Structures are given as C-alpha cells and as structure tokens.
Amino acid sequence: MDAAALPAPASRHALALLRFPDPRTDWVVVTVATLAAPLPDLDARIEALHRLVPVVGARLRDEVWHPGAAPEVIEVPGDPLASPELDRPFALAEEAPLRLLRSADGRRLGVVGHHAAFDGLALVAVLRALTAGDEPRPVTSPPPGEPGSKLPLLERLARPADPVAPTPGVWPGDAYATAVIEVDGKGITGRIAEACVAAVAQHNRRHQRPLRKVGLTIAVGGPAGVGNVASYRRIDVATGDPIGRLVQEALASPDEPGEQVSAPKVVMRLLEPVVERFSDTILISNLGRHPVPGVDQLDFFPVARGRSAVCFASAAIEGGATTLSLRARDLSPGDARRLLADAAERLADRAG
C-alpha cells in the first residue's frame, strides 16, 4: 500500500494524541527557521511537497485523513513567534495540519504542524523540502513495541510529579524563548536534562515552591520521513540523582508508553478527571543535528502540556547555530527567558 495515499486512517501515534484526555492541549508543534535568504517561489515549493506528501493538505474526519488543498502561506509583519496565528488551535476538519508563516522580510519562516500529523523530525523534513527541494517520503507508524510497566503511572497517580512553579497571574498565550548554545560530544540529551532540571529547581526556589519529585518525558525520534512516528520515555528523578545517566538509560529502553501501543476511546475518556496527575515536570527533546541548506538557525518548540506545561528542546543546523529553546503555557515571558538563560548557562558550565 502506498504510504502517501489518502484517505488513510489515523495512525496509532496520531490516535494517542487525538484521544488524549486533556482538553487544554492543542497539540501544535512549532519550528521557526532563520533563512540565509528569502525563498523564491515558496507557493510552488509547497505544491510540489503536497504532491509528494498529501497529508500536508489533508483534512481529518472521524479519525481518517482525507485529501485536501495545500496550506497557503500566512504573511506576518514581524517575527512569526509574535503572531497569534503561530500556535492557534488547528481545526483539522476544515484546514490542513501544516501551517506556514513568513515574516515580511522573508528571513523567518514558521513551519508549524499538528502533532497528529507531524513530529519534530517531520517538520525538519518539510523544511528541507521547501529550502533545498528535497523529495521527502511519507512515513507510517512501525508495529508497536512492548508497553512499558504501568507501575510508574500508578505511582504518579498516588504522588504526582512536582510542577514548574507558574508565574502568578494570567498569561494569554504560550511564552517562547531561544538561546544559541555550543554543545557536542556524547550524552547530549542527558546533559541537557541535567541543566534544565537544575534551572527549574532554582526557578522553584525563587517562587518558594518545592521540587522533590521531577517527572521527565524524553522525546524519542522515529523512522525518518514526513509523519508522526515519535515516541517518548517517561522517568521520575530527584534533583540529586545522576539525571544524565538515567536519561540515557531510558532512551535505550525498547518499551513504549502504553497509550502509544493502544489508546481505546472509552479508557482515555475515563482518565480525563485525573490525567494531570500523570503529567510531567518538564519535557526534554533533542532534535539532533541536521543539514538544512539555506537555514542558519532552527528554533524548535514541542507541545507544552500537563500541570507544568513547560518543555525544553534543542536543534542544531550543520554549519549553523545550535539552539536551546523553551516553551511554557503558564510562565510570564520574563520568567521563561530567565529559566532558559539559567539552563543554557548551566549547560555551558558542564561543557567547560
């Protein structure tokens, strides 16, 4: 069967999100690229991508992707990160799961996807198609692995992970922050996690909130291509634990989260009243280093959800910059910048 052909049922990875019992989460994954020069003929490049990977223009009805028109580029006067169009919820029955925002000078390009259709690596593949003319291939979910133990979830139900202290007040939209970093060598994801946990501990001390049980979700990339095949590992640690080593061990585990193996509608609906008790302190995603011609820097922001709704992510461009980014639902822009700056400084100290 042609992996690109539509109509096609939503994959098991997509269903885990579409049925997830958290009405506060819109599942909008954000990347914003800094281009070396404005892209000519962007509309034609999008149409070429759409022919190769029809899901970029698909519509979702009754958990089935149907053919639809490719998205149109949204022109914004400033940086796409400042536009309310960037992370507004997708209406998947009426619009494509891919959204493109371009700054007036053409140097900043937002490539935004609904997570049911695209993971972070898929958005990088989309970006390469638009900048370098690559011909990406669609990718579908591989057969599920063994579901992980339910014991950690039961422990979370009894004693949830401590959240990142929210900034007092009401914040109308997610806060975004990015720092350019230098990091190389082995165990990068674990080192990022160590630095971010230490920074969160300092943030919580400043807000006089405890951080004893730290819930980490660590993103795990899937097969290369355009689609959503990403997985994750979930662990609980304390601030004094060897966090880097524990993260690397979790990444090496073949077990998958149970909800990605199977997400029955009835079960997921019953979990809605208690779902936040299972959620994490922070999510960590290391997108890795990628050659993307015509791109100087990539800012990557996974979905911020749960009680904390704070995620950290790193992305590196070969020959360009490496970034550490933060996205938060309940932090002020100032707190988000301070938290990220602290994490980046700690990461630099560990590298020195």
Side-chain angles (χ1 to χ4, degrees), residues 122-140:
L123 293 180
V124 173
V126 167
L127 182 60
R128 281 184 57 90
L130 297 178
T131 61
D134 279 12
E135 295 190 358
R137 60 182 182 86
V139 64
T140 58

Side-chain angles (χ1 to χ4, degrees), residues 14 26 178 195 229 231 241 299 321 341:
D26 296 320
T178 300
V229 292
S231 186
D241 287 346
D299 306 337

Side-chain angles (χ1 to χ4, degrees), residues 246-298:
L246 294 173
V247 166
Q248 296 305 127
E249 289 174 356
L251 290 173
S253 170
D255 293 341
E256 289 199 71
E259 62 269 22
Q260 287 201 321
V261 175
S262 176
K265 282 184 178 180
V266 173
V267 174
M268 300 297 271
R269 193 175 298 120
L270 290 173
L271 289 174
E272 185 169 335
V274 296
V275 67
E276 287 202 350
R277 295 185 69 84
F278 299 114
S279 64
D280 313 294
T281 306
I282 55 175
L283 178 145
I284 303 291
S285 180
N286 178 15
L287 207 56
R289 184 174 299 277
H290 301 275
V292 189
V295 174
D296 293 333
Q297 177 176 316
L298 182 64

Side-chain angles (χ1 to χ4, degrees), residues 89-336:
F90 280 91
L92 292 177
E94 288 84 38
E95 66 175 317
L98 181 70
R99 183 179 299 150
L100 298 159
L101 286 77
R102 179 170 56 186
S103 62
D105 65 2
R107 291 291 306 279
R108 290 278 279 172
L109 180 66
V111 181
V112 180
H114 192 286
H115 204 356
F118 305 99
D119 56 30
L121 291 176
L123 293 180
V124 173
V126 167
L127 182 60
R128 281 184 57 90
L130 297 178
T131 61
D134 279 12
E135 295 190 358
R137 60 182 182 86
V139 64
T140 58
S141 296
E146 289 297 319
S149 169
K150 291 184 171 56
L151 181 59
L153 288 176
L154 294 175
E155 291 174 344
R156 286 256 186 117
L157 180 62
R159 182 183 166 224
D162 292 323
V164 178
T167 308
V170 177
W171 307 100
D174 288 1
Y176 296 90
T178 300
V180 175
I181 61 172
E182 293 186 10
V183 60
D184 55 21
K186 296 181 179 180
I188 289 176
T189 305
R191 285 153 52 198
I192 289 172
E194 284 181 343
C196 293
V197 168
V200 169
Q202 176 60 31
H203 166 89
N204 275 27
R205 283 193 292 270
R206 188 166 58 248
H207 286 273
Q208 299 181 327
R209 295 285 294 272
L211 189 69
R212 293 180 291 263
K213 182 175 183 178
V214 183
L216 296 178
T217 283
I218 309 104
V220 179
V226 178
N228 172 29
V229 292
S231 186
Y232 56 91
R233 302 294 181 264
R234 181 188 290 118
I235 60 173
D236 292 331
V237 300
T239 53
D241 287 346
I243 293 171
R245 176 173 61 80
L246 294 173
V247 166
Q248 296 305 127
E249 289 174 356
L251 290 173
S253 170
D255 293 341
E256 289 199 71
E259 62 269 22
Q260 287 201 321
V261 175
S262 176
K265 282 184 178 180
V266 173
V267 174
M268 300 297 271
R269 193 175 298 120
L270 290 173
L271 289 174
E272 185 169 335
V274 296
V275 67
E276 287 202 350
R277 295 185 69 84
F278 299 114
S279 64
D280 313 294
T281 306
I282 55 175
L283 178 145
I284 303 291
S285 180
N286 178 15
L287 207 56
R289 184 174 299 277
H290 301 275
V292 189
V295 174
D296 293 333
Q297 177 176 316
L298 182 64
D299 306 337
F300 172 47
F301 304 94
V303 176
R305 65 175 181 84
R307 299 172 71 218
S308 285
V310 173
C311 56
F312 292 88
S314 180
I317 298 297
E318 285 190 7
T322 299
T323 56
L324 182 68
S325 300
L326 179 149
R327 180 179 182 180
R329 186 189 63 207
D330 300 327
L331 297 182
S332 69
D335 263 352

